[in-house]
Amino acid sequence: MTEARFDELIHPSTRLSLVATLAAADWAEFAFLKDRLQLSDSALSKQLTTLEEAGYVATERRLSGGRRKVRARLTSTGRDAFNAHIEALRAIVADAVAPSREPPA
């Protein structure tokens, strides 16, 4: 089981959505991520760069039909960080919804 560890880098909603999308795939094309997350090219590029600099994401640039295509995947470090962050969020939610032991006032 993964140790719960809140991750400030992953937590902002755009990055969390991006990492969650990548966690469900081996590789994801830039165009797919852009459409799925409803981000501009520059916003998605910025988020990918931030995650790549942290070692959470790897990107690959290749030519396809004369066009440059970018795809991304989570690294093992990124997957571990994502899983730990999800465990931390589950712990926070579990504490919030745990039944109260005090009788109602």
XYZ file of all heavy atoms in Angstrom:
809
model
N 0.845 -1.188 0.000
C 0.000 0.000 0.000
C 0.883 1.243 0.000
O 1.932 1.286 0.612
C -0.894 -0.009 1.233
C -1.811 1.174 1.292
S -3.242 0.747 2.272
C -4.188 2.185 2.010
N 0.437 2.254 -0.690
C 1.176 3.504 -0.818
C 1.011 4.348 0.433
O -0.094 4.474 0.968
C 0.653 4.290 -2.039
O 0.801 3.484 -3.200
C 1.406 5.580 -2.224
N 2.106 4.934 0.880
C 2.056 5.830 2.039
C 1.418 7.147 1.617
O 1.781 7.723 0.578
C 3.475 6.083 2.554
C 3.529 7.029 3.727
C 4.950 7.314 4.167
O 5.843 6.502 3.888
O 5.158 8.367 4.781
N 0.461 7.635 2.401
C -0.208 8.897 2.095
C 0.779 10.051 2.209
O 1.506 10.157 3.191
C -1.382 9.103 3.053
N 0.807 10.882 1.167
C 1.708 12.027 1.164
C 1.104 13.106 0.265
O 1.063 12.964 -0.951
C 3.092 11.603 0.663
C 4.187 12.586 0.877
C 5.548 12.004 0.464
N 5.608 11.669 -0.953
C 5.640 10.427 -1.458
N 5.633 9.378 -0.669
N 5.682 10.220 -2.756
N 0.628 14.184 0.881
C 0.044 15.295 0.132
C 1.132 15.935 -0.721
O 2.230 16.175 -0.245
C -0.555 16.323 1.110
C -1.446 17.322 0.451
C -2.787 17.048 0.264
C -0.944 18.535 0.013
C -3.620 17.971 -0.344
C -1.767 19.460 -0.600
C -3.109 19.180 -0.773
N 0.832 16.211 -1.978
C 1.828 16.754 -2.895
C 1.343 18.099 -3.440
O 0.423 18.150 -4.251
C 2.071 15.766 -4.039
C 3.269 16.112 -4.877
O 3.382 17.281 -5.317
O 4.098 15.224 -5.101
N 1.977 19.170 -2.990
C 1.591 20.527 -3.405
C 1.775 20.742 -4.905
O 1.060 21.538 -5.504
C 2.411 21.576 -2.637
C 2.129 21.616 -1.154
C 0.793 22.246 -0.794
O 0.154 22.884 -1.652
O 0.380 22.094 0.362
N 2.713 20.052 -5.516
C 2.946 20.214 -6.947
C 1.798 19.629 -7.767
O 1.368 20.216 -8.756
C 4.268 19.545 -7.359
C 4.654 19.726 -8.815
C 5.062 21.179 -9.076
C 5.787 18.797 -9.188
N 1.281 18.507 -7.354
C 0.194 17.842 -8.078
C -1.166 18.453 -7.747
O -2.067 18.437 -8.571
C 0.165 16.325 -7.746
C 1.398 15.639 -8.312
C -1.088 15.653 -8.282
C 1.512 14.179 -7.921
N -1.333 19.010 -6.578
C -2.652 19.364 -6.068
C -3.449 20.398 -6.869
O -4.680 20.252 -6.960
C -2.566 19.793 -4.606
C -3.918 19.926 -3.987
N -4.749 18.840 -3.787
C -4.615 21.008 -3.582
C -5.882 19.249 -3.248
N -5.834 20.564 -3.121
N -2.853 21.439 -7.455
C -3.699 22.382 -8.208
C -4.563 21.629 -9.227
O -4.109 20.669 -9.864
C -2.686 23.304 -8.904
C -1.478 23.256 -8.012
C -1.435 21.834 -7.495
N -5.801 22.051 -9.361
C -6.777 21.268 -10.117
C -6.341 20.933 -11.542
O -6.583 19.809 -12.004
C -8.131 21.977 -10.129
O -8.020 23.232 -10.784
N -5.691 21.852 -12.224
C -5.268 21.568 -13.595
C -4.235 20.452 -13.618
O -4.328 19.516 -14.408
C -4.694 22.832 -14.258
O -5.709 23.830 -14.285
C -4.226 22.556 -15.676
N -3.242 20.528 -12.718
C -2.212 19.494 -12.687
C -2.770 18.172 -12.193
O -2.399 17.112 -12.688
C -1.032 19.932 -11.832
C -0.075 20.772 -12.629
C 1.219 21.012 -11.873
N 1.477 22.430 -11.988
C 1.730 23.248 -10.999
N 1.842 22.792 -9.773
N 1.928 24.515 -11.220
N -3.664 18.219 -11.223
C -4.268 16.988 -10.718
C -5.058 16.291 -11.833
O -4.942 15.076 -12.009
C -5.175 17.287 -9.521
C -5.819 16.090 -8.839
C -4.783 15.089 -8.342
C -6.688 16.575 -7.674
N -5.810 17.044 -12.604
C -6.552 16.471 -13.728
C -5.607 15.906 -14.780
O -5.852 14.833 -15.335
C -7.449 17.534 -14.371
O -8.425 17.956 -13.468
N -4.519 16.616 -15.046
C -3.539 16.153 -16.021
C -2.878 14.866 -15.569
O -2.808 13.887 -16.326
C -2.484 17.253 -16.251
C -1.300 16.916 -17.155
C -1.754 16.419 -18.516
C -0.401 18.138 -17.280
N -2.426 14.831 -14.327
C -1.764 13.627 -13.806
C -2.744 12.460 -13.739
O -2.391 11.330 -14.078
C -1.105 13.918 -12.436
C -0.582 12.656 -11.790
C 0.029 14.929 -12.600
N -3.978 12.711 -13.342
C -4.983 11.642 -13.293
C -5.239 11.077 -14.688
O -5.383 9.855 -14.857
C -6.281 12.167 -12.681
N -5.283 11.933 -15.683
C -5.477 11.476 -17.058
C -4.298 10.627 -17.510
O -4.470 9.557 -18.103
C -5.683 12.680 -18.001
O -6.828 13.418 -17.560
C -5.890 12.234 -19.440
N -3.085 11.095 -17.205
C -1.895 10.332 -17.580
C -1.796 9.015 -16.818
O -1.269 8.036 -17.344
C -0.635 11.175 -17.367
C -0.473 12.371 -18.299
C 0.718 13.219 -17.876
C -0.347 11.925 -19.746
N -2.304 8.983 -15.598
C -2.247 7.758 -14.791
C -3.083 6.638 -15.417
O -2.808 5.464 -15.193
C -2.719 8.035 -13.365
N -4.061 7.016 -16.205
C -4.958 6.028 -16.815
C -4.464 5.544 -18.179
O -5.132 4.734 -18.814
C -6.352 6.627 -16.951
N -3.310 6.047 -18.616
C -2.817 5.698 -19.951
C -1.328 5.384 -19.910
O -0.629 5.782 -18.976
C -3.065 6.864 -20.903
N -0.880 4.690 -20.937
C 0.551 4.470 -21.088
C 1.188 5.766 -21.580
O 2.060 6.332 -20.939
C 0.799 3.310 -22.058
C 2.257 2.932 -22.165
O 3.000 3.137 -21.174
O 2.664 2.439 -23.223
N 0.756 6.238 -22.727
C 1.155 7.520 -23.301
C -0.115 8.249 -23.705
O -1.110 7.614 -24.061
C 2.007 7.336 -24.554
C 3.409 6.899 -24.298
C 3.854 5.610 -24.249
C 4.550 7.724 -24.064
N 5.201 5.594 -24.008
C 5.668 6.877 -23.894
C 4.756 9.089 -23.989
C 6.955 7.350 -23.650
C 6.030 9.573 -23.746
C 7.109 8.717 -23.579
N -0.088 9.576 -23.681
C -1.226 10.374 -24.147
C -0.719 11.467 -25.075
O 0.262 12.143 -24.766
C -1.986 10.982 -22.976
N -1.378 11.609 -26.203
C -1.017 12.633 -27.179
C -1.394 14.015 -26.652
O -2.410 14.183 -25.965
C -1.733 12.386 -28.504
C -1.363 11.077 -29.180
C 0.060 11.073 -29.738
O 0.587 12.148 -30.092
O 0.633 9.973 -29.820
N -0.578 15.004 -27.011
C -0.800 16.392 -26.604
C -2.211 16.847 -26.973
O -2.918 17.440 -26.156
C 0.253 17.291 -27.266
C 0.229 18.709 -26.788
C 1.027 19.109 -25.732
C -0.569 19.662 -27.411
C 1.023 20.430 -25.291
C -0.582 20.975 -26.978
C 0.223 21.363 -25.914
N -2.629 16.563 -28.210
C -3.955 16.996 -28.672
C -5.067 16.385 -27.815
O -6.053 17.063 -27.490
C -4.148 16.635 -30.142
N -4.919 15.114 -27.448
C -5.913 14.463 -26.589
C -5.974 15.162 -25.225
O -7.056 15.460 -24.718
C -5.573 12.984 -26.401
C -6.414 12.309 -25.348
C -7.707 11.920 -25.632
C -5.905 12.093 -24.073
C -8.496 11.308 -24.657
C -6.682 11.484 -23.096
C -7.984 11.105 -23.393
N -4.809 15.422 -24.632
C -4.761 16.082 -23.321
C -5.371 17.480 -23.397
O -6.123 17.885 -22.510
C -3.326 16.156 -22.814
C -2.665 14.816 -22.504
C -1.175 14.996 -22.261
C -3.339 14.150 -21.314
N -5.034 18.203 -24.441
C -5.557 19.557 -24.636
C -7.076 19.546 -24.684
O -7.737 20.341 -24.016
C -4.966 20.143 -25.915
C -5.444 21.518 -26.247
C -4.859 21.971 -27.574
C -5.623 23.174 -28.072
N -5.235 23.585 -29.394
N -7.644 18.627 -25.476
C -9.101 18.533 -25.589
C -9.739 18.052 -24.294
O -10.742 18.606 -23.845
C -9.492 17.591 -26.727
C -9.175 18.161 -28.100
O -8.942 19.383 -28.211
O -9.134 17.376 -29.068
N -9.176 17.044 -23.705
C -9.725 16.450 -22.479
C -9.766 17.448 -21.326
O -10.729 17.513 -20.567
C -8.880 15.235 -22.109
C -9.134 14.636 -20.778
C -10.156 13.574 -20.874
N -10.366 13.001 -19.558
C -10.941 11.877 -19.357
N -11.352 11.168 -20.375
N -11.124 11.427 -18.156
N -8.679 18.241 -21.202
C -8.564 19.177 -20.083
C -9.031 20.582 -20.434
O -9.069 21.450 -19.565
C -7.115 19.215 -19.593
C -6.558 17.854 -19.156
C -5.074 17.955 -18.875
C -7.311 17.324 -17.953
N -9.378 20.784 -21.700
C -9.842 22.090 -22.189
C -8.837 23.196 -21.866
O -9.175 24.223 -21.286
C -11.235 22.402 -21.647
C -12.260 21.386 -22.091
C -13.649 21.694 -21.592
O -13.852 22.486 -20.677
N -14.633 21.038 -22.182
N -7.582 22.953 -22.277
C -6.508 23.916 -22.055
C -5.990 24.428 -23.394
O -6.085 23.746 -24.407
C -5.346 23.254 -21.303
C -5.616 22.789 -19.882
C -4.425 22.007 -19.351
C -5.918 23.984 -18.979
N -5.419 25.609 -23.359
C -4.744 26.130 -24.546
C -3.411 25.401 -24.701
O -2.935 24.754 -23.758
C -4.488 27.634 -24.396
O -3.556 27.866 -23.351
N -2.815 25.511 -25.875
C -1.506 24.901 -26.099
C -0.498 25.382 -25.068
O 0.239 24.589 -24.483
C -0.975 25.246 -27.500
C -1.686 24.507 -28.615
O -2.578 23.682 -28.337
O -1.331 24.760 -29.777
N -0.470 26.704 -24.850
C 0.532 27.257 -23.934
C 0.291 26.828 -22.489
O 1.246 26.538 -21.760
C 0.588 28.782 -24.035
O -0.659 29.354 -23.680
N -0.969 26.755 -22.072
C -1.267 26.336 -20.691
C -0.876 24.881 -20.473
O -0.285 24.536 -19.438
C -2.743 26.551 -20.378
N -1.188 24.027 -21.443
C -0.824 22.616 -21.311
C 0.692 22.450 -21.339
O 1.244 21.700 -20.533
C -1.483 21.778 -22.408
C -1.151 20.291 -22.399
C -1.457 19.642 -21.055
C -1.896 19.578 -23.525
N 1.349 23.157 -22.227
C 2.816 23.088 -22.297
C 3.444 23.487 -20.977
O 4.388 22.851 -20.501
C 3.349 24.001 -23.408
O 3.015 23.490 -24.664
N 2.924 24.539 -20.372
C 3.456 25.013 -19.086
C 3.289 23.947 -17.996
O 4.213 23.683 -17.226
C 2.750 26.303 -18.669
C 3.238 26.872 -17.368
C 2.516 28.149 -17.016
C 2.986 28.651 -15.659
N 2.267 29.854 -15.243
N 2.125 23.326 -17.945
C 1.882 22.302 -16.932
C 2.759 21.078 -17.161
O 3.322 20.517 -16.214
C 0.402 21.911 -16.911
C -0.548 23.036 -16.565
C -0.212 23.750 -15.270
O 0.248 23.146 -14.300
N -0.431 25.044 -15.239
N 2.896 20.665 -18.407
C 3.759 19.530 -18.713
C 5.212 19.834 -18.354
O 5.916 18.985 -17.802
C 3.640 19.142 -20.185
C 2.359 18.421 -20.586
C 2.260 18.297 -22.104
C 2.254 17.052 -19.922
N 5.666 21.041 -18.654
C 7.045 21.433 -18.333
C 7.271 21.411 -16.832
O 8.293 20.899 -16.357
C 7.354 22.828 -18.909
O 7.245 22.758 -20.332
C 8.742 23.288 -18.528
N 6.335 21.928 -16.073
C 6.460 21.933 -14.607
C 6.570 20.514 -14.075
O 7.431 20.210 -13.241
C 5.247 22.648 -13.968
O 5.241 24.015 -14.409
C 5.306 22.598 -12.449
N 5.708 19.631 -14.563
C 5.728 18.237 -14.109
C 6.967 17.497 -14.613
O 7.520 16.652 -13.907
C 4.451 17.523 -14.553
C 3.169 18.014 -13.871
C 1.937 17.519 -14.613
C 3.142 17.598 -12.411
N 7.418 17.834 -15.798
C 8.618 17.197 -16.344
C 9.857 17.621 -15.550
O 10.723 16.790 -15.249
C 8.773 17.557 -17.820
C 9.792 16.729 -18.543
C 9.733 16.895 -20.052
O 9.286 17.949 -20.548
O 10.140 15.946 -20.746
N 9.941 18.894 -15.196
C 11.076 19.383 -14.402
C 11.135 18.713 -13.035
O 12.211 18.526 -12.468
C 11.005 20.903 -14.252
C 11.347 21.631 -15.540
C 11.111 23.128 -15.472
O 10.546 23.626 -14.468
O 11.490 23.816 -16.444
N 9.980 18.318 -12.506
C 9.926 17.628 -11.212
C 10.211 16.137 -11.352
O 10.314 15.429 -10.354
C 8.553 17.841 -10.572
N 10.312 15.658 -12.587
C 10.543 14.231 -12.814
C 9.284 13.394 -12.779
O 9.341 12.165 -12.755
N 8.117 14.046 -12.814
C 6.841 13.334 -12.741
C 6.327 12.894 -14.100
O 5.527 11.967 -14.196
C 5.772 14.204 -12.085
C 5.928 14.412 -10.597
C 7.032 13.931 -9.893
C 4.975 15.108 -9.877
C 7.160 14.135 -8.534
C 5.096 15.305 -8.510
C 6.193 14.822 -7.849
O 6.314 15.025 -6.501
N 6.750 13.584 -15.148
C 6.257 13.337 -16.500
C 7.444 13.268 -17.449
O 8.424 13.987 -17.280
C 5.277 14.467 -16.928
C 4.980 14.431 -18.409
C 3.986 14.394 -16.138
N 7.316 12.417 -18.442
C 8.282 12.370 -19.549
C 7.516 12.714 -20.820
O 6.363 12.292 -20.990
C 8.907 10.984 -19.665
N 8.130 13.497 -21.677
C 7.509 13.817 -22.957
C 8.394 13.303 -24.080
O 9.599 13.131 -23.910
C 7.278 15.334 -23.131
O 8.523 16.020 -23.033
C 6.297 15.867 -22.110
N 7.762 13.071 -25.194
C 8.467 12.604 -26.387
C 7.959 13.421 -27.564
O 6.763 13.570 -27.755
C 8.157 11.122 -26.593
C 8.805 10.510 -27.794
C 8.418 9.047 -27.926
O 9.119 8.205 -27.335
O 7.404 8.753 -28.608
N 8.904 13.977 -28.312
C 8.567 14.738 -29.513
C 8.991 13.921 -30.721
O 10.106 13.424 -30.767
C 9.279 16.074 -29.497
C 8.701 17.015 -28.459
C 9.729 18.003 -27.932
N 9.180 18.886 -26.920
C 8.986 18.567 -25.648
N 9.276 17.355 -25.229
N 8.488 19.411 -24.788
N 8.070 13.801 -31.683
C 8.391 13.007 -32.870
C 7.687 13.604 -34.076
O 6.717 14.357 -33.931
C 7.993 11.552 -32.667
C 6.559 11.342 -32.298
C 6.301 9.931 -31.770
N 4.997 9.861 -31.188
C 3.893 9.529 -31.845
N 3.945 9.203 -33.099
N 2.727 9.502 -31.228
N 8.199 13.280 -35.234
C 7.576 13.720 -36.482
C 6.594 12.664 -36.955
O 6.880 11.478 -36.925
C 8.633 13.956 -37.553
C 9.482 15.204 -37.396
C 10.545 15.260 -38.476
C 8.630 16.460 -37.420
N 5.430 13.135 -37.384
C 4.418 12.234 -37.921
C 3.743 12.957 -39.073
O 3.085 13.981 -38.865
C 3.403 11.876 -36.834
O 2.367 11.102 -37.364
N 3.955 12.434 -40.278
C 3.357 13.070 -41.452
C 3.844 14.491 -41.663
O 3.077 15.346 -42.085
N 5.094 14.751 -41.321
C 5.652 16.087 -41.496
C 5.310 17.057 -40.383
O 5.732 18.209 -40.411
N 4.559 16.614 -39.409
C 4.183 17.476 -38.278
C 4.832 16.960 -37.011
O 4.980 15.761 -36.814
C 2.660 17.483 -38.100
C 1.945 18.052 -39.312
C 0.488 18.182 -39.074
N 0.283 19.221 -38.064
C -0.863 19.484 -37.497
N -1.925 18.798 -37.810
N -0.983 20.431 -36.597
N 5.200 17.886 -36.165
C 5.771 17.519 -34.881
C 4.651 17.183 -33.915
O 3.703 17.954 -33.752
C 6.606 18.684 -34.330
C 7.436 18.270 -33.137
C 8.242 19.428 -32.637
N 7.541 19.891 -31.454
C 7.691 21.049 -30.871
N 8.495 21.930 -31.375
N 7.019 21.367 -29.805
N 4.732 16.018 -33.308
C 3.721 15.590 -32.335
C 4.403 15.371 -30.994
O 5.536 14.910 -30.924
C 3.041 14.306 -32.787
C 2.220 14.502 -34.037
C 1.109 13.513 -34.081
C 0.196 13.882 -35.231
N -1.074 13.245 -35.107
N 3.682 15.708 -29.954
C 4.175 15.535 -28.591
C 3.239 14.582 -27.873
O 2.020 14.655 -28.024
C 4.215 16.896 -27.840
C 4.649 16.717 -26.400
C 5.126 17.878 -28.565
N 3.835 13.690 -27.110
C 3.035 12.829 -26.248
C 3.702 12.804 -24.887
O 4.883 13.136 -24.748
C 2.856 11.440 -26.834
C 4.105 10.625 -26.963
C 3.783 9.299 -27.630
N 4.920 8.393 -27.545
C 4.848 7.100 -27.697
N 3.690 6.525 -27.928
N 5.918 6.336 -27.607
N 2.941 12.418 -23.870
C 3.437 12.441 -22.495
C 3.006 11.186 -21.764
O 2.018 10.542 -22.123
C 2.901 13.675 -21.770
N 3.770 10.863 -20.734
C 3.431 9.747 -19.853
C 3.924 10.074 -18.452
O 4.823 10.901 -18.262
C 4.058 8.450 -20.335
C 5.565 8.425 -20.204
C 6.134 7.038 -20.489
N 7.577 7.064 -20.434
C 8.304 6.963 -19.311
N 7.710 6.831 -18.143
N 9.619 6.988 -19.358
N 3.329 9.420 -17.467
C 3.821 9.537 -16.093
C 5.079 8.694 -15.950
O 5.146 7.581 -16.482
C 2.795 9.013 -15.094
C 1.691 9.934 -14.621
C 0.866 9.241 -13.544
C 2.216 11.241 -14.117
N 6.044 9.202 -15.215
C 7.205 8.396 -14.861
C 6.846 7.574 -13.626
O 5.790 7.791 -13.012
C 8.413 9.296 -14.532
O 8.077 10.098 -13.375
C 8.781 10.199 -15.704
N 7.697 6.667 -13.242
C 7.422 5.904 -12.015
C 7.405 6.844 -10.809
O 6.598 6.663 -9.890
C 8.433 4.773 -11.834
O 9.740 5.272 -11.768
N 8.252 7.857 -10.815
C 8.247 8.856 -9.733
C 6.914 9.591 -9.707
O 6.333 9.819 -8.641
C 9.399 9.861 -9.913
O 10.635 9.154 -9.897
C 9.406 10.927 -8.840
N 6.423 9.970 -10.876
C 5.135 10.659 -10.968
C 3.983 9.787 -10.530
O 3.070 10.234 -9.832
N 4.009 8.527 -10.921
C 2.948 7.593 -10.517
C 2.951 7.392 -9.002
O 1.899 7.399 -8.362
C 3.106 6.267 -11.247
C 1.923 5.345 -11.096
C 1.973 4.196 -12.060
N 1.995 4.603 -13.460
C 0.918 4.978 -14.162
N -0.265 4.989 -13.578
N 1.013 5.314 -15.421
N 4.148 7.244 -8.421
C 4.249 7.099 -6.964
C 3.724 8.341 -6.250
O 2.994 8.240 -5.264
C 5.692 6.827 -6.542
C 6.191 5.453 -6.950
O 5.359 4.583 -7.319
O 7.420 5.249 -6.917
N 4.096 9.526 -6.755
C 3.633 10.781 -6.147
C 2.120 10.915 -6.266
O 1.448 11.319 -5.309
C 4.335 11.967 -6.809
N 1.571 10.559 -7.423
C 0.124 10.622 -7.624
C -0.601 9.677 -6.671
O -1.564 10.063 -6.008
C -0.216 10.291 -9.075
C -1.691 10.234 -9.357
C -2.475 11.370 -9.300
C -2.301 9.028 -9.692
C -3.836 11.318 -9.568
C -3.656 8.964 -9.970
C -4.432 10.114 -9.905
N -0.142 8.440 -6.591
C -0.773 7.468 -5.692
C -0.697 7.915 -4.236
O -1.673 7.771 -3.489
C -0.137 6.088 -5.870
C -0.500 5.456 -7.198
O -1.522 5.769 -7.790
N 0.354 4.571 -7.680
N 0.434 8.462 -3.825
C 0.579 8.952 -2.452
C -0.355 10.132 -2.203
O -0.959 10.253 -1.125
C 2.029 9.338 -2.178
N -0.484 11.006 -3.194
C -1.374 12.162 -3.057
C -2.829 11.721 -2.940
O -3.581 12.235 -2.098
C -1.191 13.102 -4.257
C -1.927 14.386 -4.122
N -1.567 15.359 -3.217
C -3.029 14.851 -4.764
C -2.412 16.375 -3.311
N -3.301 16.093 -4.238
N -3.222 10.750 -3.746
C -4.592 10.227 -3.679
C -4.859 9.616 -2.304
O -5.933 9.817 -1.721
C -4.850 9.203 -4.806
C -4.784 9.881 -6.168
C -6.173 8.480 -4.620
C -5.716 11.064 -6.335
N -3.889 8.888 -1.772
C -4.051 8.318 -0.424
C -4.211 9.415 0.620
O -5.011 9.295 1.547
C -2.872 7.404 -0.077
C -2.884 6.091 -0.819
C -4.164 5.296 -0.615
O -4.665 5.193 0.530
O -4.685 4.775 -1.618
N -3.443 10.504 0.480
C -3.563 11.629 1.421
C -4.943 12.269 1.309
O -5.564 12.598 2.333
C -2.466 12.658 1.150
N -5.444 12.430 0.101
C -6.789 12.995 -0.084
C -7.856 12.077 0.507
O -8.800 12.548 1.153
C -7.074 13.238 -1.566
C -6.237 14.335 -2.240
C -6.548 14.383 -3.728
C -6.470 15.682 -1.589
N -7.689 10.779 0.313
C -8.642 9.820 0.907
C -8.645 9.932 2.428
O -9.700 9.859 3.060
C -8.291 8.403 0.486
C -8.677 8.085 -0.923
C -8.424 6.621 -1.256
N -8.859 6.342 -2.610
C -8.157 5.685 -3.506
N -6.965 5.198 -3.192
N -8.621 5.482 -4.708
N -7.482 10.085 3.026
C -7.387 10.208 4.489
C -8.079 11.487 4.966
O -8.783 11.473 5.983
C -5.927 10.195 4.932
N -7.893 12.565 4.223
C -8.542 13.829 4.587
C -10.054 13.678 4.521
O -10.781 14.065 5.442
C -8.067 14.968 3.658
C -6.605 15.302 3.940
C -8.949 16.205 3.807
C -5.946 16.179 2.893
N -10.561 13.087 3.458
C -11.995 12.914 3.284
C -12.550 11.948 4.326
O -13.603 12.188 4.903
C -12.316 12.436 1.846
C -13.768 12.038 1.709
C -11.948 13.520 0.857
N -11.821 10.878 4.593
C -12.283 9.905 5.587
C -12.435 10.553 6.951
O -13.393 10.278 7.671
C -11.319 8.725 5.657
N -11.496 11.420 7.304
C -11.585 12.125 8.584
C -12.783 13.070 8.619
O -13.408 13.255 9.654
C -10.307 12.924 8.857
C -9.128 12.036 9.210
O -9.340 10.832 9.512
O -7.982 12.536 9.190
N -13.101 13.645 7.472
C -14.200 14.598 7.399
C -15.569 13.936 7.468
O -16.505 14.521 7.958
C -14.100 15.431 6.123
N -15.653 12.709 6.974
C -16.963 12.060 6.928
C -17.118 10.958 7.971
O -18.129 10.280 8.004
C -17.259 11.481 5.518
C -17.358 12.595 4.505
C -16.252 10.451 5.118
N -16.122 10.807 8.825
C -16.227 9.792 9.877
C -17.381 10.147 10.816
O -17.576 11.313 11.139
C -14.911 9.706 10.655
N -18.138 9.158 11.224
C -19.269 9.453 12.124
C -18.769 10.027 13.447
O -17.750 9.620 13.983
C -19.930 8.095 12.343
C -18.989 7.066 11.833
C -17.999 7.759 10.936
N -19.498 10.983 13.911
C -19.150 11.631 15.188
C -19.467 10.693 16.338
O -20.470 9.986 16.322
C -19.966 12.924 15.325
O -19.722 13.487 16.599
N -18.609 10.691 17.332
C -18.829 9.835 18.517
C -19.557 10.570 19.616
O -19.927 9.997 20.612
C -17.489 9.320 19.031
C -16.835 8.405 18.009
C -15.597 7.809 18.520
N -15.028 6.996 17.440
C -13.962 6.267 17.534
N -13.309 6.239 18.663
N -13.527 5.570 16.533
N -19.724 11.858 19.410
C -20.442 12.656 20.409
C -21.924 12.663 20.072
O -22.291 12.733 18.903
C -19.899 14.086 20.422
C -18.445 14.174 20.844
C -17.948 15.607 20.850
O -18.776 16.522 21.038
O -16.764 15.795 20.639
N -22.755 12.580 21.093
C -24.203 12.648 20.830
C -24.566 14.047 20.311
O -23.926 15.030 20.665
C -24.833 12.377 22.185
C -23.780 12.612 23.187
C -22.457 12.440 22.507
N -25.570 14.114 19.451
C -25.987 15.429 18.935
C -26.462 16.317 20.076
O -27.019 15.843 21.060
C -27.120 15.109 17.969
C -27.395 13.656 18.065
C -26.365 13.033 18.951
N -26.252 17.609 19.912
C -26.624 18.570 20.965
C -28.096 18.846 20.977
O -28.831 18.678 20.112
C -25.880 19.873 20.754
